């Protein structure tokens, strides 16, 4: 009888360690998407760790909204993420009949009129010069929420131990096998990993280390004055229609946005004004401000906008607008280090899509890592698969996200009647706003996923 030859036990699939820098909204969404990737017996395991410089979970105290496109990305990564928005979001309009349109009006020539007069319409409590321009944003397309509330809901979904706080990146270096060693400030013990993904925001330390300080975000010479108004006061002064629905008031060299938050208990007001001075980002992005600063900027505007400004609290914050318009990075990945969200393409807030663009990045990275697991499962080396995945991610995401940075600056000029060949013509302004907004909102995210996978296959040849 022939003795069968001994067989080797099956080799266990490798583990790929991923360090995500930053536990803000994009870093947390990315981690949840990666943790939710389906696995097979032969696919490598993913070890996910988030390193956050703050000592506890925190987000800036500002409102945020997501487009239907961003929600679709969340659904594809993990349906629970989109459910977190629903849990904390505030409907636009009356609770019994939500409105998913954004409204753009001439705020400079706004004036009150009596019912039945030349400019009176059924769509407003105080009429504007000519018309109200409504832009449908899709189902649940405009629902504001507080950044910290949304992040708090998502943090509940992360397994215990995934996030380590008090870890501010000091530097990184490449290991002999292509991996990365990340060091932290204050003598904190460094970590070794296969891949680093920086989601550390507009002041990204990793972006600075990966390229140079020349690519740090620059001041856009614009201030955003933010204030919260009790909704009962807003309704009393502005009427229910205006107070409970999002409105963008356009005019010369400034603009004002307001929308409901906190389950319609508050109206969030943001007034944008130019600032010729310089601002050092190292001092932070906010400073104390007074209502009188805003009153002066809108003194010549119509009575409705002046009424909105009068509702602001006497003491508030002003936020400096920074972006990477003047200093775009050449790529979103180099070696085994990648950038995502504001770390890759910080934009001004005028499209309200900066966070949504980061969510798209997260989906593209999840798709790329799904391809890595597939390739490694069929015998491709981990290093080769990761290199290809990051190159594919950078190529697929670069053009669209850099367009957003440029378009956000441009659409601000449209709001503020500074765009060439448009000026104060609100018909043309709205046409420009609609075209740019639709490019953001009507994006085929499933085709983007397919493009990432296709590019991975091309590079692997």
């Amino acid at each position: 009888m022939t003795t069968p030859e001994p067989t080797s036990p099956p080799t266990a699939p490798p583990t790929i360690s991923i360090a995500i820098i930053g536990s803000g909204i994009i870093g947390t969404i990315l981690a949840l998407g990666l943790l939710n990737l389906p696995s097979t017996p032969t696919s490598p395991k993913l070890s996910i760790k988030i390193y956050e410089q703050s000592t506890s979970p925190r987000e800036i105290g500002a409102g945020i909204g997501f487009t239907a496109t961003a929600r679709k990305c969340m659904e594809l990564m993990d349906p629970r993420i989109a459910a977190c928005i629903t849990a904390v979001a505030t409907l636009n309009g009356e609770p019994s009949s939500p409105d998913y349109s954004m409204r753009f009006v001439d705020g400079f020539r706004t004036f009150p009129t009596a019912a039945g007069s030349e400019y009176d319409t059924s769509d407003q409590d105080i009429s504007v010069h000519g018309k109200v321009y409504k832009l449908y944003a899709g189902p649940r397309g405009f629902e504001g929420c507080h950044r910290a509330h949304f992040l708090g809901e998502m943090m509940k979904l992360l397994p215990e131990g995934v996030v380590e706080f008090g870890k501010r990146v000091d530097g990184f270096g490449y290991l002999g096998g292509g991996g990365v060693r990340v060091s932290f400030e204050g003598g904190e013990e460094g970590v070794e990993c296969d891949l680093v993904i920086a989601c550390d925001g507009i002041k990204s330390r990793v972006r600075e280390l990966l390229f140079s300080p020349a690519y740090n975000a620059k001041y856009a010479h614009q201030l955003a004055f933010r204030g919260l108004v009790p909704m009962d006061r807003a309704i009393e002064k502005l009427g229910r229609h205006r107070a409970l629905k999002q409105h963008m008031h356009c005019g010369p060299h400034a603009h004002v946005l307001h929308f409901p938050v906190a389950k319609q208990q508050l109206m969030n007001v943001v007034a944008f004004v130019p600032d010729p001075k310089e601002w050092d980002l190292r001092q932070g992005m906010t400073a104390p401000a007074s209502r009188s600063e805003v009153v002066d900027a809108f003194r010549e505007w119509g009575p409705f906008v002046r009424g909105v400004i009068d509702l602001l609290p006497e003491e508030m914050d002003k936020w400096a607008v920074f972006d990477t318009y003047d200093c775009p990075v050449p790529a979103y990945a180099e070696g085994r280090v990648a950038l995502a969200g504001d770390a890759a393409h910080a934009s001004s807030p005028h499209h309200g899509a900066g966070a949504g663009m980061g969510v798209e990045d997260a989906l593209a990275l999840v798709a790329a890592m799904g391809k890595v697991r597939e390739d490694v499962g069929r015998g491709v080396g981990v290093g080769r698969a990761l290199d290809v995945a990051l190159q594919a991610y950078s190529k697929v995401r670069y053009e669209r996200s850099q367009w957003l940075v440029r378009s956000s600056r441009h659409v601000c000029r449209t709001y503020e009647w500074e765009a060439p060949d448009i000026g104060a013509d609100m018909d043309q302004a709205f046409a420009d706003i609609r075209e740019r907004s639709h490019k953001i909102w009507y994006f085929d995210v499933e085709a983007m996923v397919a493009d990432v996978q296709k590019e991975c296959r091309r590079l692997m040849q």
Side-chain angles (χ1 to χ4, degrees):
M1 181 179 295
T2 304
T3 303
E5 294 184 6
T7 58
S8 301
T11 303
T15 297
I16 300 174
S17 55
I18 301 175
I20 297 173
I21 309 302
S23 71
I25 286 174
I26 304 307
T28 304
I29 288 175
L30 174 61
L32 289 170
L34 292 171
L35 289 167
N36 198 47
L37 272 172
S39 62
T40 68
T42 60
S43 60
K45 303 182 186 315
L46 300 182
S47 174
I48 311 296
K49 292 285 287 187
I50 304 176
Y51 299 97
E52 167 59 39
Q53 67 175 348
S54 66
T55 56
S56 61
R58 65 182 180 88
E59 256 289 355
I60 58 174
I64 191 172
F66 291 101
T67 65
T69 296
R71 282 177 174 267
K72 176 68 172 178
C73 292
M74 296 174 193
E75 291 281 353
L76 290 173
M77 285 184 280
D78 186 337
R80 298 177 303 168
I81 302 173
C84 289
I85 295 181
T86 303
V88 299
T90 297
L91 295 171
N92 188 48
E94 296 284 353
S96 59
S97 56
D99 188 314
Y100 300 126
S101 292
M102 302 178 72
R103 285 167 167 74
F104 301 86
V105 297
D106 177 341
F108 186 69
R109 296 171 289 196
T110 300
F111 53 91
T113 59
S117 67
E118 179 182 0
Y119 296 114
D120 179 56
T121 78
S122 60
D123 190 41
Q124 57 208 63
D125 297 304
I126 298 178
S127 68
V128 300
H129 187 78
K131 65 182 74 172
V132 172
Y133 298 84
K134 292 195 293 187
L135 187 58
Y136 179 62
R140 310 190 75 91
F142 187 88
E143 289 182 340
C145 66
H146 193 292
R147 287 173 177 266
H149 296 166
F150 175 46
L151 179 60
E153 288 295 312
M154 289 196 297
M155 292 289 285
K156 297 175 186 177
L157 303 177
L158 286 174
E160 187 175 352
V162 168
V163 185
E164 289 194 24
F165 295 100
K167 298 284 190 179
R168 177 174 173 77
V169 172
D170 180 55
F172 67 82
Y174 295 106
L175 303 173
V180 185
R181 178 175 177 80
V182 181
S183 59
F184 302 104
E185 290 184 354
E188 292 282 345
E189 184 179 356
V191 296
E192 295 183 359
C193 56
D194 295 300
L195 172 64
V196 173
I197 304 176
C199 303
D200 51 344
I202 193 167
K203 295 189 285 184
S204 173
R205 173 61 171 156
V206 177
R207 178 184 61 223
E208 183 178 73
L209 292 167
L210 188 63
F211 295 109
S212 81
Y215 295 98
N216 288 350
K218 303 293 192 297
Y219 187 38
H221 292 282
Q222 188 177 47
L223 293 169
F225 292 84
R226 297 176 182 266
L228 294 171
V229 178
M231 187 58 77
D232 56 351
R233 287 189 60 218
I235 290 174
E236 180 182 2
K237 189 172 186 70
L238 308 177
R240 292 187 65 85
H241 178 88
R242 284 293 182 90
L244 290 172
K245 294 183 179 180
Q246 178 273 349
H247 284 81
M248 177 79 77
H249 300 273
C250 304
H253 315 302
H255 67 282
V256 178
L257 169 69
H258 61 79
F259 55 90
V261 295
K263 301 298 181 182
Q264 299 189 325
Q265 296 303 302
L266 298 170
M267 186 177 77
N268 187 44
V269 179
V270 189
F272 292 90
V273 301
D275 177 29
K277 301 175 184 177
E278 296 298 327
W279 188 292
D280 187 347
L281 186 56
R282 291 174 296 182
Q283 73 184 40
M285 297 182 65
T286 66
S290 64
R291 184 175 61 212
S292 60
E293 295 178 65
V294 194
V295 169
D296 289 342
F298 293 93
R299 190 174 300 280
E300 304 299 323
W301 285 51
F304 185 86
V305 168
R306 297 202 307 271
V308 172
I309 301 303
D310 287 343
L311 285 169
L312 288 169
E314 182 56 39
E315 303 297 329
M316 68 188 86
D317 287 330
K318 57 185 176 184
W319 297 60
V321 176
F322 277 76
D323 64 15
T324 53
Y325 178 88
D326 295 314
C327 49
V329 293
Y332 295 163
E334 187 171 285
R336 303 278 178 79
V337 180
L339 307 175
D342 282 351
H345 44 75
S347 73
S348 54
H350 306 301
H351 270 306
M357 202 61 59
V359 176
E360 292 179 20
D361 290 347
L363 176 59
L365 282 163
V366 168
M369 287 307 302
K371 192 68 174 67
V372 167
R373 298 180 82 186
E374 175 188 319
D375 289 341
V376 173
R378 63 182 179 85
V380 176
V382 169
R384 171 67 173 155
L386 287 174
D387 291 343
V388 162
L390 292 191
Q391 291 176 52
Y393 157 72
S394 180
K395 179 175 175 55
V396 170
R397 289 300 301 153
Y398 192 87
E399 181 179 349
R400 173 171 166 82
S401 54
Q402 288 298 324
W403 172 87
L404 177 74
V405 176
R406 298 189 300 272
S407 185
S408 189
R409 280 280 194 106
H410 182 103
V411 83
C412 178
R413 297 183 69 193
T414 300
Y415 298 155
E416 300 185 352
W417 295 357
E418 296 174 347
D421 303 322
I422 296 178
D425 186 327
M426 283 298 295
D427 286 344
Q428 290 192 55
F430 181 67
D432 183 57
I433 293 165
R434 179 177 55 209
E435 179 181 357
R436 293 173 181 278
S437 298
H438 283 179
K439 185 168 181 176
I440 298 166
W441 300 347
Y442 299 109
F443 177 61
D444 190 340
V445 296
E446 287 159 322
M448 177 193 71
V449 168
D451 286 344
V452 170
Q453 295 167 340
K454 180 181 177 181
E455 184 64 14
C456 284
R457 288 191 293 270
R458 186 187 72 81
L459 293 170
M460 193 63 74
Q461 294 175 351

